[in-house]
Amino acid sequence: MSTLIIIATQTRGEAKEEAIKMLTKILETIKIEPSQFNRIASMISARGMPSTISEKAAEILIENFVNDEKLGAVCLGLGRSKSPANQAKLRQVIDKTTNRSVKGHAIYALATSMLGRPVAPNEEAEELLEKIVSDFADVETSRGSLAKLAAGPLFEMQNLQIGMAAPNISGEDVDGTAFQLADYKGKVIVLDFWGDW
């Protein structure tokens, strides 16, 4: 199946169309059992996968594995898209699952799917991120806890919007003299954050 996924996502023409037909047939006839979870999930996460395939694969996983711990990672993948279809699937997971980890992943994914770059105010996304911090802070992902992941966009929404006072920072200038941003209130300031890692 991995060869079909490569053909469907990285080629054009007849080969691509045939691969898509075969993947569609696989999804229609696949025996739904836990051993097939990763195969089905790979059809969602493959970059460039036609939406008809990835959406059908997501439907199968949500319908049959809504309480499986592995569905959390699938939810994070769905959250990378801003598509209303994926947001609807995430809402479905939130409503159906009884697995706390899966629910936390789905809530975080739904919140982040609503945000743009830079993060703009969004009341529903903010409520969802606050729910993560209050109810799912300890849930772990492959990139750290959900609370840690939610902290950045939540801070941006609540503290870094146009018209808000900049958060106070302190540091040393190039001569080693301590300063803080609040000392320059009312003046035009250009901040240049850089590092040498």
Side-chain angles (χ1 to χ4, degrees):
M1 183 159 33
S2 58
T3 304
L4 287 174
I5 290 172
I6 291 169
I7 294 169
T9 57
Q10 297 182 10
T11 64
R12 297 174 194 224
E14 257 182 65
K16 180 182 187 93
E17 288 176 26
E18 278 303 310
I20 291 170
K21 284 180 189 174
M22 292 174 87
L23 288 170
T24 302
K25 185 72 171 170
I26 288 169
L27 286 174
E28 291 170 354
T29 59
I30 196 166
K31 186 174 181 182
I32 306 300
E33 55 187 38
S35 64
Q36 297 298 327
F37 185 98
N38 291 339
R39 287 181 140 175
I40 299 167
S42 68
M43 292 186 209
I44 299 169
S45 59
R47 178 167 279 165
M49 180 63 73
S51 61
T52 55
I53 302 289
S54 58
E55 287 177 13
K56 179 66 176 169
E59 287 170 16
I60 290 170
L61 290 181
I62 292 167
E63 185 177 318
N64 296 283
F65 301 101
V66 76
N67 292 314
D68 190 310
E69 194 84 15
K70 294 184 286 187
L71 190 62
V74 172
C75 289
L76 293 181
L78 292 173
R80 290 188 196 103
S81 165
K82 310 286 185 227
S83 88
N86 282 355
Q87 290 177 358
K89 285 177 182 54
L90 291 167
R91 289 181 195 282
Q92 190 179 6
V93 172
I94 292 165
D95 291 341
K96 286 185 169 186
T97 190
T98 57
N99 183 303
R100 184 172 173 272
S101 176
V102 171
K103 186 177 288 258
H105 279 75
I107 291 170
Y108 173 77
L110 178 59
T112 57
S113 74
M114 297 175 182
L115 302 175
R117 283 264 136 283
V119 171
N122 181 308
E123 192 173 310
E124 184 181 7
E126 186 173 355
E127 288 173 9
L128 291 170
L129 291 170
E130 287 173 342
K131 184 168 183 62
I132 289 294
V133 172
S134 66
D135 299 346
F136 300 94
D138 61 324
V139 173
E140 288 294 323
T141 74
S142 60
R143 299 179 309 166
S145 73
L146 284 177
K148 179 182 172 190
L149 296 179
L154 196 54
F155 183 82
E156 282 186 63
M157 276 191 284
Q158 295 173 342
N159 299 287
L160 300 178
Q161 298 303 311
I162 293 172
M164 291 182 173
N168 192 30
I169 59 167
S170 60
E172 292 183 0
D173 64 18
V174 292
D175 298 322
T177 305
F179 74 94
Q180 57 180 348
L181 186 58
D183 295 340
Y184 299 94
K185 188 173 181 175
K187 297 179 181 176
V188 176
I189 303 295
V190 176
L191 295 176
D192 180 13
F193 294 96
W194 60 274
D196 186 12
W197 288 273

